[in-house]
Amino acid sequence: RTILKSLSPFFIGFVLAYILNMPCKQIDAVCRKSKYRFINNKSKAISIISVYVLMVLAIYVAVSAVVPALYRNVVDLYNNVPTYIEEFLTAVESWQKAYNIEIFEFNGASITKAFNTILGKFDIAEFSKYAKGVIGVTSGVINVLIGIIISVYMLIDKEKIKASVRRILLLI
C-alpha cells in the first residue's frame, strides 16, 4: 500500500502524458510547418506548453462553474434541513392521523431541537478529522503536481522512454 502511494505521482504522470500525447503531436506537427525558424526549432516545447495551458484553462473553467454552484447548494441544504425535518414530521403525523395508526410517538419540537443541537456541535472538537481531511487533500494536490511535472518530462523524452521500454522488454 505504501509503495502504491509512493508510485501514485508516476501513475498520474503516465496517464497525463498518455492523454496529452495526441494533442501534443498535433500541435507539434502544426509548429513544424511554420515558416519561422524559431517555431520550428522549439516546436516540441511550444506544443507541450500549449497543451498544458489549454488543460489549465479547461480545469479553471470547469472549477469556476462547479464550485460556486456546489457551495450554494450545500449552504441551502444546511439552512433548509430544519424545514425538511418539520415537513417530514408533519407528513408522518398526518399519515398517522389519516390511517389512525401510531407507529411511534414523537414530539416535533424536541426532534427539531435535537437536530439543531447536533448541527451546532460541528466545531473545533472535530479538529483532528478536519486536519486529516486537509492533509489528505494536500497530499493529493502534491501528488497531482508531481504527476504533472513527471508527465512533462515523459512528453519531452517519450522517444527515449519508448526505446528504453523496448530494450527492457527484449531482455525479458
Side-chain angles (χ1 to χ4, degrees):
R1 184 168 168 93
T2 306
I3 293 173
L4 288 177
K5 273 188 171 181
S6 300
L7 292 176
S8 67
F10 292 98
F11 293 133
I12 292 168
F14 175 76
V15 168
L16 275 174
Y18 182 78
I19 291 170
L20 298 177
N21 184 38
M22 186 61 68
C24 245
K25 278 187 197 177
Q26 292 174 347
I27 294 172
D28 187 37
V30 169
C31 289
R32 289 193 187 276
K33 293 178 184 176
S34 173
K35 61 183 177 179
Y36 298 107
R37 188 175 195 196
F38 175 78
I39 294 176
N40 279 329
N41 292 340
K42 304 293 182 188
S43 64
K44 187 177 240 181
I46 291 170
S47 66
I48 291 172
I49 291 170
S50 300
V51 165
Y52 278 95
V53 166
L54 290 173
M55 182 184 72
V56 167
L57 285 173
I59 291 171
Y60 174 76
V61 167
V63 167
S64 65
V66 170
V67 169
L70 182 65
Y71 174 76
R72 280 192 306 272
N73 288 337
V74 168
V75 169
D76 287 344
L77 178 66
Y78 180 79
N79 290 334
N80 291 329
V81 164
T83 306
Y84 297 149
I85 289 174
E86 288 177 25
E87 289 175 2
F88 172 75
L89 294 176
T90 304
V92 168
E93 191 174 13
S94 67
W95 181 71
Q96 285 180 345
K97 285 180 184 177
Y99 295 104
N100 199 18
I101 299 173
E102 269 196 46
I103 298 172
F104 57 89
E105 288 186 37
F106 62 89
N107 181 351
S110 65
I111 291 175
T112 304
K113 182 180 176 185
F115 187 76
N116 287 336
T117 303
I118 291 170
L119 283 180
K121 290 191 178 188
F122 287 106
D123 62 350
I124 290 259
E126 300 290 320
F127 181 73
S128 66
K129 290 181 184 177
Y130 299 138
K132 286 179 183 176
V134 168
I135 289 169
V137 168
T138 304
S139 69
V141 168
I142 289 172
N143 281 344
V144 168
L145 291 176
I146 293 171
I148 289 171
I149 293 168
I150 291 169
S151 70
V152 168
Y153 281 106
M154 290 179 94
L155 285 172
I156 291 171
D157 292 331
K158 68 182 171 195
E159 289 82 17
K160 292 178 186 176
I161 294 171
K162 281 182 188 177
S164 297
V165 169
R166 281 189 190 131
R167 275 189 243 132
I168 291 171
L169 290 176
L170 288 176
L171 290 175
I172 296 176

Coordinates of all heavy atoms in Angstrom, one line a residue, residues 8-17 20 48-49 51-53 55-56 59 140-156:
S8 N 2.1 6.7 -6.9 CA 1.0 7.4 -7.5 C 1.3 8.6 -8.3 O 0.7 8.8 -9.4 CB -0.1 7.7 -6.4 OG 0.4 8.7 -5.5
P9 N 2.3 9.4 -8.0 CA 2.6 10.5 -8.9 C 3.1 10.0 -10.3 O 2.8 10.7 -11.3 CB 3.7 11.3 -8.2 CG 3.6 10.9 -6.7 CD 3.0 9.6 -6.7
F10 N 3.8 8.9 -10.3 CA 4.3 8.3 -11.5 C 3.1 7.8 -12.4 O 3.1 8.0 -13.6 CB 5.3 7.2 -11.3 CG 6.6 7.7 -10.7 CD1 6.8 7.7 -9.4 CD2 7.5 8.3 -11.6 CE1 8.0 8.1 -8.8 CE2 8.7 8.8 -11.0 CZ 8.9 8.7 -9.7
F11 N 2.1 7.2 -11.7 CA 0.9 6.8 -12.4 C 0.1 8.0 -13.0 O -0.3 7.9 -14.1 CB 0.0 5.9 -11.5 CG 0.6 4.6 -11.1 CD1 0.5 4.2 -9.8 CD2 1.2 3.8 -12.0 CE1 1.1 3.0 -9.4 CE2 1.7 2.5 -11.6 CZ 1.6 2.2 -10.3
I12 N 0.0 9.0 -12.2 CA -0.7 10.2 -12.6 C 0.1 10.8 -13.8 O -0.5 11.2 -14.8 CB -0.8 11.2 -11.4 CG1 -1.8 10.7 -10.4 CG2 -1.3 12.6 -11.9 CD1 -1.7 11.5 -9.1
G13 N 1.4 10.9 -13.7 CA 2.2 11.4 -14.8 C 2.1 10.6 -16.0 O 2.0 11.2 -17.1
F14 N 2.1 9.3 -15.9 CA 1.9 8.5 -17.1 C 0.6 8.7 -17.8 O 0.5 8.8 -19.0 CB 2.1 7.0 -16.7 CG 1.9 6.1 -17.9 CD1 2.8 5.9 -18.9 CD2 0.7 5.3 -18.0 CE1 2.6 5.1 -19.9 CE2 0.4 4.5 -19.0 CZ 1.4 4.4 -20.0
V15 N -0.5 8.7 -16.9 CA -1.8 8.9 -17.5 C -2.0 10.2 -18.2 O -2.5 10.4 -19.3 CB -2.9 8.7 -16.4 CG1 -4.3 9.1 -16.9 CG2 -2.9 7.2 -15.9
L16 N -1.4 11.3 -17.5 CA -1.5 12.6 -18.1 C -0.7 12.7 -19.4 O -1.2 13.2 -20.4 CB -0.9 13.7 -17.2 CG -1.9 14.3 -16.2 CD1 -1.2 15.2 -15.2 CD2 -3.0 15.0 -16.8
A17 N 0.5 12.1 -19.4 CA 1.3 12.1 -20.6 C 0.6 11.3 -21.7 O 0.6 11.7 -22.9 CB 2.7 11.5 -20.4
L20 N -2.3 13.5 -23.0 CA -1.9 14.7 -23.7 C -1.0 14.5 -24.9 O -0.6 15.5 -25.6 CB -1.3 15.7 -22.7 CG -2.2 16.1 -21.5 CD1 -1.5 17.0 -20.6 CD2 -3.4 16.8 -22.0
I48 N 4.1 21.3 -26.0 CA 3.8 20.9 -24.6 C 3.3 22.0 -23.7 O 2.3 21.9 -23.0 CB 5.2 20.3 -24.0 CG1 5.5 19.0 -24.6 CG2 5.0 20.1 -22.5 CD1 6.9 18.5 -24.3
I49 N 3.9 23.2 -23.9 CA 3.4 24.4 -23.1 C 1.9 24.7 -23.5 O 1.1 25.0 -22.7 CB 4.3 25.6 -23.3 CG1 5.6 25.4 -22.6 CG2 3.7 26.9 -22.8 CD1 6.7 26.4 -23.0
V51 N -0.4 22.7 -24.7 CA -1.3 21.7 -24.2 C -1.6 21.9 -22.7 O -2.7 21.8 -22.3 CB -0.8 20.3 -24.5 CG1 -1.5 19.2 -23.7 CG2 -0.9 20.0 -26.0
Y52 N -0.5 22.2 -22.0 CA -0.7 22.4 -20.5 C -1.5 23.7 -20.2 O -2.3 23.7 -19.3 CB 0.6 22.3 -19.8 CG 1.0 20.9 -19.5 CD1 1.8 20.2 -20.4 CD2 0.4 20.2 -18.5 CE1 2.2 18.9 -20.2 CE2 0.7 18.8 -18.2 CZ 1.6 18.2 -19.1 OH 1.9 16.9 -18.9
V53 N -1.3 24.7 -21.0 CA -2.0 25.9 -20.8 C -3.5 25.7 -21.1 O -4.4 26.1 -20.4 CB -1.5 27.1 -21.7 CG1 -2.4 28.2 -21.8 CG2 -0.1 27.5 -21.2
M55 N -5.0 22.8 -20.9 CA -5.5 22.0 -19.8 C -5.9 22.8 -18.6 O -6.9 22.6 -18.0 CB -4.5 20.9 -19.5 CG -5.0 19.9 -18.4 SD -3.9 18.6 -17.9 CE -2.7 19.6 -17.0
V56 N -5.0 23.7 -18.2 CA -5.2 24.5 -17.0 C -6.4 25.4 -17.2 O -7.3 25.6 -16.3 CB -3.9 25.4 -16.7 CG1 -4.3 26.4 -15.7 CG2 -2.8 24.5 -16.2
I59 N -9.5 23.2 -16.9 CA -9.8 22.9 -15.4 C -10.3 24.2 -14.7 O -11.3 24.1 -13.9 CB -8.5 22.4 -14.8 CG1 -8.2 21.0 -15.3 CG2 -8.7 22.4 -13.2 CD1 -6.8 20.5 -14.9
G140 N -2.9 14.8 -1.9 CA -3.4 14.6 -3.3 C -3.0 15.6 -4.3 O -2.6 15.3 -5.4
V141 N -3.1 16.9 -3.8 CA -2.7 18.0 -4.7 C -1.2 17.9 -5.0 O -0.8 18.1 -6.2 CB -3.0 19.4 -4.1 CG1 -2.4 20.5 -4.8 CG2 -4.5 19.5 -4.0
I142 N -0.4 17.6 -4.0 CA 1.1 17.5 -4.3 C 1.3 16.3 -5.2 O 2.2 16.5 -6.1 CB 1.8 17.3 -2.9 CG1 1.8 18.6 -2.2 CG2 3.2 16.8 -3.2 CD1 2.3 18.5 -0.8
N143 N 0.6 15.2 -5.1 CA 0.8 14.1 -6.0 C 0.4 14.5 -7.4 O 1.1 14.1 -8.4 CB 0.0 12.9 -5.6 CG 0.6 12.1 -4.4 OD1 1.8 12.3 -4.1 ND2 -0.2 11.3 -3.8
V144 N -0.6 15.3 -7.6 CA -1.0 15.7 -8.9 C 0.0 16.6 -9.5 O 0.4 16.5 -10.7 CB -2.4 16.4 -8.9 CG1 -2.7 17.1 -10.2 CG2 -3.5 15.3 -8.6
L145 N 0.5 17.6 -8.7 CA 1.6 18.5 -9.2 C 2.8 17.7 -9.6 O 3.4 18.0 -10.6 CB 1.9 19.5 -8.1 CG 0.8 20.6 -7.8 CD1 1.2 21.5 -6.7 CD2 0.5 21.4 -9.1
I146 N 3.3 16.8 -8.8 CA 4.4 16.0 -9.1 C 4.1 15.2 -10.4 O 5.0 15.0 -11.3 CB 4.8 15.1 -8.0 CG1 5.4 15.9 -6.8 CG2 5.9 14.1 -8.4 CD1 5.6 15.2 -5.5
G147 N 2.9 14.6 -10.5 CA 2.5 13.9 -11.7 C 2.5 14.8 -12.9 O 2.9 14.3 -14.0
I148 N 2.1 16.0 -12.8 CA 2.2 16.9 -14.0 C 3.6 17.1 -14.4 O 4.0 17.1 -15.6 CB 1.5 18.3 -13.6 CG1 0.0 18.1 -13.5 CG2 1.9 19.3 -14.6 CD1 -0.7 19.3 -13.0
I149 N 4.5 17.3 -13.4 CA 6.0 17.5 -13.7 C 6.5 16.3 -14.4 O 7.2 16.3 -15.4 CB 6.8 17.8 -12.5 CG1 6.3 19.2 -12.0 CG2 8.3 17.8 -12.7 CD1 6.8 19.6 -10.6
I150 N 6.1 15.1 -13.9 CA 6.6 13.8 -14.5 C 6.0 13.7 -15.9 O 6.8 13.3 -16.8 CB 6.2 12.6 -13.6 CG1 7.0 12.7 -12.3 CG2 6.4 11.3 -14.3 CD1 6.5 11.7 -11.2
S151 N 4.8 14.1 -16.1 CA 4.2 13.9 -17.4 C 4.9 14.9 -18.4 O 5.0 14.5 -19.6 CB 2.7 14.2 -17.4 OG 2.4 15.5 -17.1
V152 N 5.3 16.1 -18.0 CA 6.0 17.0 -18.9 C 7.3 16.3 -19.3 O 7.7 16.3 -20.5 CB 6.3 18.3 -18.2 CG1 7.3 19.1 -19.0 CG2 5.0 19.1 -18.0
Y153 N 8.1 15.7 -18.4 CA 9.3 15.0 -18.7 C 9.1 13.8 -19.6 O 9.8 13.5 -20.5 CB 10.1 14.6 -17.5 CG 10.8 15.8 -16.9 CD1 10.4 16.4 -15.7 CD2 12.0 16.3 -17.5 CE1 11.1 17.4 -15.2 CE2 12.7 17.4 -17.0 CZ 12.2 17.9 -15.8 OH 12.9 19.0 -15.2
M154 N 8.0 13.1 -19.4 CA 7.6 12.0 -20.2 C 7.3 12.4 -21.6 O 7.7 11.8 -22.6 CB 6.5 11.2 -19.6 CG 6.8 10.5 -18.3 SD 5.5 9.6 -17.7 CE 5.8 8.0 -18.4
L155 N 6.6 13.5 -21.8 CA 6.3 14.0 -23.1 C 7.6 14.5 -23.8 O 7.7 14.4 -25.0 CB 5.3 15.2 -23.0 CG 3.8 14.7 -22.8 CD1 2.9 15.9 -22.5 CD2 3.3 13.9 -23.9
I156 N 8.5 15.1 -23.1 CA 9.7 15.6 -23.7 C 10.6 14.5 -24.1 O 11.1 14.5 -25.3 CB 10.5 16.5 -22.7 CG1 9.7 17.8 -22.4 CG2 11.9 16.8 -23.2 CD1 10.3 18.7 -21.3

